[in-house]
C-alpha cells in the first residue's frame, strides 16, 4: 500500500510538471500510471489471500483436491 501511495504521488508530480517524453512528446504520467495501478492490484490480491487464509480452516481443505476446495470458497459470504 505504501508503494502504491508513493507511485501515485510520483504520477501526480509528473502531471503537475507536464513532463513529456523527449522524442514522442507523450505525457509521462500515462506511462508512469502503470506503477500505481499494478501495485494496487497486487495489494488487493494480497489482501484477498489474507482474508482467505483467515476465513478458511486448513482442516477443511486437507482432504480435498485444490480445484474442489477453490470452488467451495466464497470470500464475499460474511455469514
Amino acid at each position: 500500500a505504501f508503494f502504491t501511495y508513493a507511485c501515485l504521488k510520483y504520477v501526480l508530480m509528473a502531471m503537475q510538471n507536464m513532463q513529456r517524453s523527449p522524442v514522442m512528446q507523450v505525457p509521462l504520467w500515462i506511462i508512469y500510471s502503470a506503477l500505481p495501478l499494478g501495485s494496487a492490484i497486487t495489494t488487493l490480491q494480497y489482501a484477498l489471500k489474507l482474508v482467505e487464509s483467515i476465513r478458511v480452516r486448513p482442516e477443511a481443505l486437507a482432504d480435498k483436491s485444490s480445484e474442489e476446495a477453490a470452488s467451495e470458497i466464497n470470500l464475499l459470504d460474511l455469514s
Side-chain angles (χ1 to χ4, degrees):
F2 176 74
F3 184 71
T4 304
Y5 175 73
C7 289
L8 188 59
K9 283 181 60 174
Y10 191 70
V11 169
L12 291 175
M13 181 196 65
M15 285 178 72
Q16 289 172 350
N17 294 338
M18 297 177 59
Q19 293 178 345
R20 295 185 172 271
S21 65
V23 176
M24 303 263 313
Q25 294 299 312
V26 176
L28 288 177
W29 69 267
I30 295 172
I31 299 164
Y32 293 159
S33 64
L35 288 170
L37 180 65
S39 62
I41 292 171
T42 302
T43 302
L44 178 64
Q45 183 66 32
Y46 277 119
L48 288 174
K49 283 292 184 183
L50 177 65
V51 169
E52 178 185 7
S53 67
I54 291 171
R55 295 200 59 198
V56 177
R57 294 185 319 243
E59 303 88 33
L61 301 176
D63 296 333
K64 299 178 181 177
S65 72
S66 61
E67 290 178 5
E68 290 175 358
S71 67
E72 292 181 10
I73 296 172
N74 184 2
L75 295 177
L76 300 178
D77 181 21
L78 300 176
S79 60

